[in-house]
Amino acid sequence: MSRFLDFFDSAFVDLRYYLVYLPLGIIGLVRWASWLVRRVPAALYRPARGEHPATLGVVVPVYQEDPEILRLAIESWLANEVDEVVLVIDVTDDVCRRVAEGYPVTVLVTDVPGKRDALRRGWEACRSELVALVDSDTVWADDVAAEVRRPFADPRVGGVGTRQNVYNPRGFLQRVNDMFLDYRYFDENASQTVLGRAVSCLSGRTAVYRRALLLEVSDDFMAETFMGVPCMSGDDKRLTTLVLERGHRTYMQRSARVWSTFPGTLRVFCKQRLRWARNTWRSDLRALSRRWVWRHPFLAYSMIDKSVSSFTLLLSPFFMTYAIVRHDWFFVACLGAWWWVSRSMKMLPHLVRRPTSFFLVPGFVVMSFLMAVIKICALLTVRRQRWLTRQVSVENGVVVRTAPVAASSEAAAPSSGAGAAA
């Protein structure tokens, strides 16, 4: 009888083990299969080659940028010998206007809050065939202008993205951000470029478009709403969508490298990710309800997969917590080791560039869980429109400042700086 009870207890423990942990294994296999669907074509990615002689202008909205970073960025754009640089500077920002005066660039001063109107003013002022929309903290490599032109040799390409990394990463958060960026450009964007020439988002850090196309979509870009609320952020995602909707291609030119600053504090990091996540939900939910996205099957698959992963990813820490409560240390050790090894495999392109990041993988995993929580919070608050890291928001359907405008020594009307870039 004792042996029977021992056998029964053992069988019950085994059954409970499988009933509890087997679902996690199945979900893990599904997620790995999903990753391989992206990773295999991503491994086949090659940047566009050949020459394209189109003129290229740079449009930059500027709002309270670090002066030293702005100087470094302007010098990097001018070193690329672009045809023109247009800085659209907020009326409150006297410091950045003084920085711009020292360079051969065109300056437009605006008193309209928000980034979208600044972008529109910039590309309307430009005269180049191609327009690079660039953030004011983004530094270019010496060959970016030449590299981003290449994909436009294909007349079907309407927009081109670059490869980003964190400028001079220091501290845990900036280095983890750098890991996320490499994961994005060697995985998601590479596979979308290979399978359909339809990248879901050409990041606003540096994205290049045909100017004629920007003029065509300008009204739709400025008039975007979601569930009746005007949209004030997510401009890069919106522009990419408008280009794809009109039947053009979007391409990632990974050989064009740029570097941007990223937050070093958890508070700003979370705010930034919350804003990005809301933008992604709004754009992807709208896109999946339209016909155009289904003409790009892999893009539609990527959007659905990204949405689902926000929820499935959190099952893993749930099971880890359960195992710790049950004192199942063998499972805890196995799952922890699996997180480290599996994420290292997925992060291999980054680890080749920065081998010491291998020791940051556990932290990267934890931040992935945090980002999944943020994405779910973003879905629950998807109608909220606020920049979070800038003093602007949507109130009563209008984009407004959330802080008073400081006195300015110059008028708020557009004015010329030192002229067009050489």
Side-chain angles (χ1 to χ4, degrees), residues 201-419:
C201 180
L202 302 177
S203 172
R205 304 283 179 175
T206 295
V208 186
Y209 299 91
R210 297 185 190 275
R211 179 173 179 269
L213 191 52
L214 289 174
L215 295 174
E216 178 185 329
V217 305
S218 187
D219 290 343
D220 288 341
F221 173 67
M222 295 301 299
E224 183 191 9
T225 62
F226 185 83
M227 298 178 69
V229 180
C231 296
M232 61 170 291
S233 61
D235 46 273
D236 48 5
K237 188 84 169 171
R238 181 58 175 164
L239 282 173
T240 308
T241 297
L242 290 171
V243 167
L244 290 168
E245 277 183 346
R246 284 159 172 75
H248 300 277
R249 293 179 169 183
T250 54
Y251 195 96
M252 191 255 309
Q253 183 73 343
R254 202 165 63 202
S255 54
R257 297 202 59 189
V258 305
W259 293 267
S260 299
T261 59
F262 278 78
T265 65
L266 185 61
R267 180 173 177 269
V268 178
F269 173 89
C270 291
K271 284 186 173 183
Q272 185 183 68
R273 292 287 171 170
L274 180 59
R275 186 182 81 243
W276 290 354
R278 284 174 179 160
N279 296 335
T280 298
W281 281 117
R282 286 192 284 261
S283 180
D284 289 358
L285 289 173
R286 182 193 293 117
L288 290 169
S289 69
R290 306 286 174 82
R291 289 184 178 181
W292 71 265
V293 77
W294 301 102
R295 295 195 295 269
H296 303 280
F298 187 77
L299 177 60
Y301 162 80
S302 297
M303 290 179 177
I304 295 171
D305 179 67
K306 199 169 187 177
S307 300
V308 171
S309 68
S310 303
F311 298 90
T312 58
L313 186 61
L314 290 179
L315 291 175
S316 191
F318 170 81
F319 279 102
M320 174 65 88
T321 303
Y322 177 81
I324 292 173
V325 171
R326 300 290 303 177
H327 295 177
D328 191 349
W329 304 120
F330 176 75
F331 180 82
V332 169
C334 288
L335 184 56
W338 174 245
W339 287 348
W340 199 332
V341 172
S342 63
R343 284 307 175 103
S344 295
M345 292 173 63
K346 292 180 179 181
M347 292 300 305
L348 192 58
H350 176 83
L351 295 180
V352 169
R353 184 170 68 89
R354 290 184 178 273
T356 56
S357 292
F358 176 76
F359 300 102
L360 294 178
V361 171
F364 177 87
V365 172
V366 172
M367 295 306 296
S368 298
F369 297 148
L370 174 61
M371 287 173 58
V373 173
I374 291 174
K375 288 178 182 178
I376 294 173
C377 291
L379 178 61
L380 297 175
T381 59
V382 71
R383 291 185 75 247
R384 294 192 62 182
Q385 287 285 344
R386 188 159 185 174
W387 195 272
L388 297 176
T389 54
R390 294 192 182 197
Q391 295 171 335
V392 290
S393 68
V394 172
E395 295 180 6
N396 299 320
V398 180
V399 178
V400 298
R401 300 179 188 274
T402 56
V405 179
S408 176
S409 59
E410 298 180 22
S415 62
S416 296

Side-chain angles (χ1 to χ4, degrees), residues 17-28:
Y17 194 90
Y18 284 112
L19 288 177
V20 171
Y21 297 133
L22 185 59
L24 179 62
I26 294 173
I27 292 171

Side-chain angles (χ1 to χ4, degrees), residues 3-18:
R3 290 183 179 180
F4 174 77
L5 291 176
D6 290 343
F7 174 79
F8 180 80
D9 288 342
S10 177
F12 178 75
V13 169
D14 290 342
L15 178 62
R16 184 184 63 194
Y17 194 90
Y18 284 112

Side-chain angles (χ1 to χ4, degrees), residues 104-287:
V105 301
T106 296
V107 174
L108 304 179
V109 180
T110 178
D111 62 352
V112 178
K115 186 178 178 182
R116 290 200 179 204
D117 186 75
L119 288 170
R120 178 189 59 81
R121 289 173 185 242
W123 72 57
E124 287 179 352
C126 252
R127 291 295 176 264
S128 303
E129 298 168 77
L130 304 177
V131 176
L133 305 180
V134 185
D135 279 358
S136 56
D137 64 343
T138 299
V139 178
W140 285 11
D142 292 340
D143 59 349
V144 168
E147 290 296 326
V148 295
R149 285 183 172 101
R150 299 186 195 280
F152 287 103
D154 181 349
R156 295 168 294 182
V157 171
V160 171
T162 56
R163 175 188 171 188
Q164 305 165 30
N165 283 108
V166 178
Y167 176 75
N168 193 23
R170 295 177 179 176
F172 172 73
L173 281 177
Q174 290 184 349
R175 292 191 63 184
V176 165
N177 256 317
D178 201 44
M179 296 169 73
F180 276 115
L181 287 172
D182 273 347
Y183 185 72
R184 177 182 183 186
Y185 291 106
F186 282 87
D187 189 313
E188 178 183 345
N189 284 13
S191 60
Q192 290 174 351
T193 299
V194 171
L195 295 179
R197 301 295 193 267
V199 177
S200 60
C201 180
L202 302 177
S203 172
R205 304 283 179 175
T206 295
V208 186
Y209 299 91
R210 297 185 190 275
R211 179 173 179 269
L213 191 52
L214 289 174
L215 295 174
E216 178 185 329
V217 305
S218 187
D219 290 343
D220 288 341
F221 173 67
M222 295 301 299
E224 183 191 9
T225 62
F226 185 83
M227 298 178 69
V229 180
C231 296
M232 61 170 291
S233 61
D235 46 273
D236 48 5
K237 188 84 169 171
R238 181 58 175 164
L239 282 173
T240 308
T241 297
L242 290 171
V243 167
L244 290 168
E245 277 183 346
R246 284 159 172 75
H248 300 277
R249 293 179 169 183
T250 54
Y251 195 96
M252 191 255 309
Q253 183 73 343
R254 202 165 63 202
S255 54
R257 297 202 59 189
V258 305
W259 293 267
S260 299
T261 59
F262 278 78
T265 65
L266 185 61
R267 180 173 177 269
V268 178
F269 173 89
C270 291
K271 284 186 173 183
Q272 185 183 68
R273 292 287 171 170
L274 180 59
R275 186 182 81 243
W276 290 354
R278 284 174 179 160
N279 296 335
T280 298
W281 281 117
R282 286 192 284 261
S283 180
D284 289 358
L285 289 173
R286 182 193 293 117

